[in-house]
Amino acid sequence: MPVGLLGATPFVAHHKSGRLRIIAFTSKERFPPMPEIPTLREAGFPIDSTQWLGVLAPRGTSDEVVQRLHAEIVKALALQDVQDRLAQSALQPVGSTPREFASVIKSQIEHWSKVAQELGVRPE
């Protein structure tokens, strides 16, 4: 039986059609639009590897532009049709602040750098 550990987005339609089975999510909690799918944590694997997407701007972008972009994105994420479309792709909108998102990026860099170091992964 072929198995893969991949982001769910490209596979949701195949799961819903029955051609493929998503057996678990790697997030801490179940995904609300697909609550029937457990997490790996529930199966005893202490994994939290949530996939995330975000909008970034070049360094030096003015705070005014960043705040305007953020406000427009939050408005878009609040639209029901946007939320429905994201849910169909196993995506859950968060719409955090630019400061909160910067913290997420920083913590992810620290986490995965530590994992790579512990595993002896080195760039070639």
Side-chain angles (χ1 to χ4, degrees):
M1 163 178 24
V3 175
L5 183 61
L6 308 160
T9 300
F11 305 106
V12 171
H14 299 293
H15 173 79
K16 289 183 178 183
S17 75
R19 294 177 56 205
L20 171 83
R21 192 174 100 174
I22 298 174
I23 59 172
F25 282 115
T26 58
S27 54
K28 284 183 182 177
E29 299 172 3
R30 289 187 182 211
F31 181 58
M34 300 173 82
E36 71 282 4
I37 301 173
T39 67
L40 284 176
R41 184 175 291 269
E42 290 175 78
F45 299 97
I47 294 173
D48 177 20
S49 181
T50 305
Q51 182 180 24
W52 52 266
L53 305 167
V55 176
L56 303 173
R59 182 183 303 263
T61 301
S62 73
D63 191 49
E64 180 182 335
V65 169
V66 170
Q67 292 306 322
R68 171 75 191 274
L69 183 59
H70 171 68
E72 296 301 322
I73 291 169
V74 168
K75 282 184 199 174
L77 291 176
L79 298 172
Q80 190 61 52
D81 61 328
V82 171
Q83 291 180 19
D84 293 345
R85 185 68 179 238
L86 290 172
Q88 290 171 3
S89 298
L91 297 171
Q92 188 172 11
V94 174
S96 62
T97 68
R99 185 178 303 252
E100 290 168 335
F101 186 46
S103 178
V104 167
I105 293 170
K106 182 180 180 199
S107 70
Q108 289 289 294
I109 290 170
E110 290 170 357
H111 171 75
W112 291 110
S113 294
K114 182 179 175 184
V115 169
Q117 186 176 30
E118 288 173 358
L119 295 174
V121 174
R122 291 184 173 54
E124 293 185 14

